[in-house]
Amino acid sequence: GIRVLNQDFFETLITFITSQNNNIPRIKQLCDRISEKYGTKIGDTYAFPSPQQTADITEQDYKDMKFGFRAKYLTDAVAKVLSGEIDEATVKSLSYEDAQKYLMQIKGVGPKVADCCLLFSHHHTSAFPKDVWIKRALEVLFGGELPKEAIPYAGIVQQYIFHYARLTGLDADTEYFASVWKTSDPEQKTKALSVKTLTTENAQISETAAAAGDIVLAEDFSELVWGGDIAGRAVAFIAFFCQNNVPHCSIVFFCTD
């Protein structure tokens, strides 16, 4: 299934600064490079360097490692962490909005990088990192804005939206759901989100058991086999929180008409 990680704060900060205008293979290559040069060797691999281990890395050193324009952002981030100007304990004590502003004191850290740090290292589930795919998905599926009911869990929802957007390319399959979700008619939304069938290796939940408008919770993502319109996948999680108040670790799956 999809996971929201709980990573080391400093490593998360440095890697997401590195991720700006970059691709995953290159991000991995750069992180491996700095780990091998400055990190601690553990068996056959290297740990990501600590703030203290990066203290003497200059802007030119970063450029020599091919970090490019990010070099000045990385030296600023390290300096602020080492001086205590950016303090992990302080980040943990702040509200999401204040923590985002606090991290944006670092050069080159905008809302997206700050949100990634808050979501993936401090479990601020209301943080909602937006890249090109997420912005496009919001427009296609929700008219540009996340439903207010999903905002407390926006970071969890973002993972499902991103996966769905990359999986489908936001093609014509999304049009039905998008048109229904954008309507102001709650009955149409309920009908569109009705569970029809849910098949696992162990059971078939019938249409009788999942009457129109009911919610069916599937605990094991790996066992779920979909039927019906693919457009229900990404938005199912959002719909769940729109209608129920449950722990964010639960996963709900819907099939649309």
Side-chain angles (χ1 to χ4, degrees), residues 20-208:
Q20 297 180 74
N21 296 315
N22 224 333
N23 58 65
I24 291 174
R26 181 160 173 75
I27 295 165
K28 183 179 184 302
Q29 183 182 60
L30 291 171
C31 290
D32 287 346
R33 190 171 295 159
I34 192 173
S35 297
E36 290 168 7
K37 192 164 185 179
Y38 297 98
T40 301
K41 187 172 184 181
I42 303 174
D44 295 328
T45 189
Y46 292 84
F48 195 85
S50 66
Q52 291 72 26
Q53 288 173 310
T54 61
D56 296 327
I57 305 178
T58 66
E59 186 174 329
Q60 187 58 51
D61 290 332
Y62 283 115
K63 288 180 178 178
D64 291 344
M65 289 187 285
K66 309 302 181 185
F67 281 86
F69 71 89
R70 305 164 195 86
K72 59 182 177 290
Y73 303 153
L74 294 170
T75 53
D76 187 66
V78 171
K80 283 184 166 68
V81 169
L82 287 172
S83 70
E85 186 175 348
I86 296 296
D87 175 64
E88 182 176 4
T90 301
V91 177
K92 288 182 178 179
S93 70
L94 296 173
S95 67
Y96 159 63
E97 292 80 6
D98 288 341
Q100 186 192 56
K101 291 176 184 176
Y102 183 75
L103 290 178
M104 287 170 60
Q105 296 177 84
I106 301 169
K107 291 179 183 177
V109 173
K112 183 195 170 186
V113 171
D115 278 354
C116 287
C117 291
L118 294 173
L119 178 61
F120 295 115
S121 69
H122 283 84
H123 212 257
H124 273 286
T125 56
S126 54
F128 189 68
K130 294 180 185 177
D131 65 1
V132 172
W133 280 101
I134 292 297
K135 290 176 182 177
R136 184 175 169 223
L138 286 176
E139 287 295 332
V140 171
L141 293 171
F142 306 111
E145 294 185 11
L146 197 65
K148 67 180 186 300
E149 297 89 347
I151 289 174
Y153 312 98
I156 310 292
V157 171
Q158 188 260 15
Q159 297 290 285
Y160 285 85
I161 295 175
F162 182 81
H163 176 68
Y164 173 68
R166 296 302 300 268
L167 181 70
T168 66
L170 295 172
D171 56 21
D173 285 340
T174 67
E175 291 180 4
Y176 168 73
F177 181 84
S179 65
V180 173
W181 184 263
K182 290 172 186 176
T183 182
S184 60
D185 186 345
E187 290 187 10
Q188 281 189 273
K189 290 182 181 180
T190 300
K191 183 176 184 294
L193 298 173
S194 297
V195 178
K196 295 306 177 184
T197 59
L198 181 63
T199 306
T200 69
E201 294 177 359
N202 302 319
Q204 173 79 26
I205 301 177
S206 68
E207 199 167 327
T208 301

